[in-house]
Amino acid sequence: MDNKLDLNLIHLFVTIVQSRTLSEAARRTGMTRSNASRQLKALELAMGAQLLRRTTRHMEVTEAGKLLYTHGIRMLEEADTARASIESLGKSVRGDVRIRLPTGLGHLYLTSVLLDFAKRYPDVTLRVLINDFIGDLISAEVDVALKITSTPPEDHVARKICDISWCLCASPDFIERSGAIATLEDLAQRPLIAPASFGRRFDLKFDMNGARMLLRVAPRLQSGDYPYLLEAALSSLGVALLPRYAVWRQLQAGSLQEVLSQYEPEGVGNSVYLLTAANRFPTMATRTLMNFISEQIRLNESNWRRPGS
């Protein structure tokens, strides 16, 4: 390799691969398309290999390009980590962090946690995405993601924070109007409010003292927006299947009541994980944010547990 190879060329190439078009890569790096093309040719000349096959329709990464992309990501991460470590010597935590939050935990709890973090660490710039899609963190340009799941993805580094338990609950007004719910058969006769990720019809799974039970259900209301599901339950529209982190305050205040507490329903994932890319080294700012979120979640973890567990 040319010992005068510029890391800026590596950065450009990584950006081209991630953005999939030369024009978009040029926009992201603040240069013209023609200049980006010249820089790419200079990089291929320095490497002594063709890195991309370009046609009028698409762009394909060659075998040499794939190798350079893998090592280039690490080189850039190492450079960023070194810079951040040097900057942090005797100084405050600083840098950029891109984080993705799941909608339920994000809207109902973590947005306030991130605001507290921003106040405590004014030199950290946050870019916050709230959605339930978790693809490849590198191509999504995300440094760290939170995911509620029972099986964390194997192609990421997964750090478990805590368990997540679920419950069935309804407003006192709904229970008074519809009658007591003492059995699974009673539940089957009531309108159900549930996350959309289950599908339109599904088998709701329960555990009762180690025994597994199933109930075929077709919810009346479904959404990926957990605050909406919570409002639907508070509006007496049915029995809601929600994680305890979403409803523990309402259960304590009495605005919602747990039903069929002898059964433990299975929700959309039983643990919350912090995910980072397998081939990336988190910066000090990212690590600080990860530790801050973990500590804040653990402060409330006891409120999110099933009573008596």
Side-chain angles (χ1 to χ4, degrees):
M1 179 182 290
D2 186 346
N3 59 10
K4 295 182 181 180
L5 186 62
D6 190 343
L7 271 181
N8 289 323
L9 295 178
I10 299 295
H11 177 260
L12 172 63
F13 178 70
V14 168
T15 305
I16 292 173
V17 175
Q18 291 178 350
S19 58
R20 295 188 174 90
T21 68
L22 191 62
S23 298
E24 176 61 17
R27 187 191 68 79
R28 293 185 185 184
T29 53
M31 64 177 68
T32 63
R33 188 185 187 285
S34 59
N35 189 22
S37 180
R38 286 194 298 270
Q39 296 285 344
L40 176 60
K41 290 178 182 177
L43 178 60
E44 289 180 322
L45 182 63
M47 298 302 299
Q50 184 179 7
L51 303 175
L52 298 171
R53 294 190 186 93
R54 297 176 294 281
T55 70
T56 56
R57 289 181 173 270
H58 67 280
M59 181 175 61
E60 179 184 353
V61 184
T62 65
E63 195 66 28
K66 291 176 182 177
L67 286 173
L68 181 60
Y69 176 76
T70 299
H71 290 286
I73 285 286
R74 294 175 182 173
M75 292 165 63
L76 295 173
E77 288 292 336
E78 285 286 357
D80 287 341
T81 301
R83 184 185 302 110
S85 297
I86 293 171
E87 289 179 349
S88 66
L89 290 175
K91 299 180 181 179
S92 60
V93 177
R94 65 178 65 244
D96 299 335
V97 183
R98 303 161 299 181
I99 182 170
R100 190 206 64 85
L101 307 177
T103 55
L105 195 60
H107 286 303
L108 292 170
Y109 180 68
L110 287 177
T111 49
S112 61
V113 170
L114 292 185
L115 292 177
D116 289 340
F117 179 86
K119 293 175 183 177
R120 186 172 301 188
Y121 298 97
D123 293 326
V124 175
T125 300
L126 293 177
R127 190 176 77 178
V128 182
L129 306 173
I130 303 180
N131 61 62
D132 288 321
F133 175 73
I134 177 68
D136 176 70
L137 296 186
I138 295 177
S139 61
E141 298 184 340
V142 172
D143 299 305
V144 60
L146 275 87
K147 184 174 181 64
I148 294 177
T149 182
S150 300
T151 54
E154 296 182 355
D155 55 347
H156 291 81
V157 177
R159 168 181 166 185
K160 182 177 176 179
I161 302 179
C162 71
D163 295 326
I164 296 293
S165 62
W166 293 68
C167 71
L168 292 163
C169 56
S171 70
D173 178 63
F174 175 83
I175 295 174
E176 182 178 354
R177 287 190 290 105
S178 66
I181 304 171
T183 66
L184 293 183
E185 290 73 20
D186 292 337
L187 178 64
Q189 301 303 315
R190 306 297 192 275
L192 183 67
I193 300 166
S197 52
F198 278 113
R200 188 65 192 93
R201 293 182 63 87
F202 62 94
D203 290 324
L204 181 53
K205 301 175 183 178
F206 296 90
D207 181 277
M208 183 179 181
N209 299 324
R212 298 281 285 177
M213 301 180 184
L214 299 177
L215 178 66
R216 191 68 173 175
V217 296
R220 177 192 177 193
L221 286 177
Q222 288 185 284
S223 176
D225 187 334
Y226 284 42
Y228 169 77
L229 298 179
L230 175 58
E231 284 300 317
L234 291 170
S235 299
S236 304
L237 293 177
V239 178
L241 173 64
L242 286 168
R244 291 186 183 274
Y245 70 74
V247 296
W248 70 272
R249 291 184 179 88
Q250 290 76 13
L251 292 174
Q252 285 189 358
S255 55
L256 289 177
Q257 294 179 3
E258 187 169 358
V259 300
L260 297 176
S261 58
Q262 68 271 35
Y263 297 97
E264 183 175 3
E266 183 177 302
V268 186
N270 59 20
S271 302
V272 57
Y273 291 87
L274 277 166
L275 304 179
T276 53
N279 61 345
R280 282 193 170 182
F281 301 93
T283 64
M284 179 174 289
T286 301
R287 294 196 303 271
T288 301
L289 177 59
M290 292 169 65
N291 291 334
F292 186 85
I293 289 174
S294 299
E295 291 169 3
Q296 294 302 310
I297 286 179
R298 289 180 180 128
L299 287 176
N300 280 290
E301 182 183 0
S302 60
N303 295 316
W304 302 353
R305 294 176 186 157
R306 179 180 171 81
S309 62

